[in-house]
Amino acid sequence: MTVIMILASIDLSQFVSIQAATEYDTLYLIDNTAGKWVKNDNAKIKAIDNTNGHTEYWMEQKDEITWSVKIPKNAYNITFNRYGEDKTTQWNSWSDGGRDNNNAYYVDGSEYGHWGIMEGIEEYFHEGDIIYLDVSEFAQWENDDALMYVNFTNATKDENSGYDVLISGADKNMYNPKKVENRIENGIYQYVVTQENEGSDKLRFWR
């Protein structure tokens, strides 16, 4: 699933969108060990993107052997660390060079594994998923008390014959934006997916 971040101008009732640059991939870690022990003792898994600095992401456990997280599409060099339930005591670490076009890391042993492709994954947003919008490199986008919204479709004004979208009269199946209330720091916004939007597989952010 690709998360597309769209930002533009808003005058309380109209939305106009333009596309921003960040796109995301879903990355998986899969327990391929004989004893399937990675989950033991409520272990937590962190993925670290070493491509540009060391950006850390806690992974979500999907089932007994699978964890996942969304990372920037250009994230290439990834390290996986296994922690105790307290998220402070590190037990294991895996790193196997660049991931190329692979989307899954298979854990084969305590300190080794291999990259591969995980296919047939149903990709959509779940209730409780946390989505971040980072406009910290575009400080002017927060000027004039600008507000940020999220819309769980891929629709732009192109689907409205190129005209600005009047939200009050718009087709709610295409334009039903939700205000992003949580600004966790300058330029960084957080949105938690609700039950209403579970199952959506696209979104755009609006300004």
Side-chain angles (χ1 to χ4, degrees):
M1 175 174 56
T2 300
V3 178
I4 304 175
M5 291 187 289
I6 303 297
L7 297 109
S9 59
I10 177 174
D11 65 359
L12 298 182
S13 64
Q14 297 184 14
F15 287 73
V16 185
S17 67
I18 57 174
Q19 186 166 342
T22 305
E23 295 185 348
Y24 293 85
D25 279 341
T26 300
L27 184 67
Y28 300 93
L29 181 132
I30 302 167
D31 185 354
N32 197 44
T33 64
K36 300 295 184 285
W37 51 262
V38 173
K39 69 179 184 305
N40 290 357
D41 301 314
N42 296 316
K44 307 300 180 185
I45 306 296
K46 179 190 288 183
I48 304 172
D49 174 13
N50 303 303
T51 310
N52 297 295
H54 297 281
T55 307
E56 301 179 347
Y57 304 90
W58 286 105
M59 303 188 77
E60 176 186 0
Q61 186 170 356
K62 311 298 288 185
D63 55 38
E64 291 291 288
I65 64 168
T66 310
W67 288 257
S68 73
V69 69
K70 287 181 173 54
I71 60 170
K73 188 178 287 288
N74 67 355
Y76 179 75
N77 189 316
I78 309 295
T79 298
F80 299 94
N81 290 337
R82 177 174 178 261
Y83 289 83
E85 188 174 11
D86 60 3
K87 293 186 176 181
T88 59
T89 305
Q90 182 179 318
W91 291 336
N92 306 89
S93 183
W94 298 275
S95 182
D96 200 23
R99 69 186 184 100
D100 297 321
N101 293 320
N102 297 300
N103 70 344
Y105 187 82
Y106 292 81
V107 173
D108 298 319
S110 61
E111 300 290 338
Y112 62 94
H114 68 277
W115 286 107
I117 298 290
M118 188 172 184
E119 298 179 344
I121 300 300
E122 190 174 20
E123 296 276 0
Y124 57 86
F125 291 105
H126 299 78
E127 181 182 4
D129 284 351
I130 300 175
I131 304 166
Y132 294 92
L133 171 65
D134 183 351
V135 299
S136 57
E137 295 185 9
F138 307 94
Q140 70 275 14
W141 288 353
E142 293 188 298
N143 291 348
D144 304 318
D145 297 321
L147 302 176
M148 302 299 174
Y149 289 77
V150 62
N151 192 47
F152 282 88
T153 78
N154 205 27
T156 69
K157 69 176 184 178
D158 290 345
E159 285 77 21
N160 195 46
S161 301
Y163 295 104
D164 291 351
V165 179
L166 183 63
I167 297 303
S168 61
D171 180 352
K172 296 300 183 184
N173 292 320
M174 298 174 62
Y175 308 103
N176 191 20
K178 310 296 182 184
K179 186 177 178 181
V180 180
E181 302 279 2
N182 195 359
R183 181 173 178 263
I184 58 178
E185 59 181 88
N186 289 342
I188 307 293
Y189 296 80
Q190 179 190 81
Y191 183 83
V192 180
V193 177
T194 65
Q195 186 177 27
E196 177 185 358
N197 298 118
E198 181 162 6
S200 301
D201 61 359
K202 297 180 178 65
L203 71 77
R204 288 178 181 265
F205 280 103
W206 300 73
R207 173 180 178 268

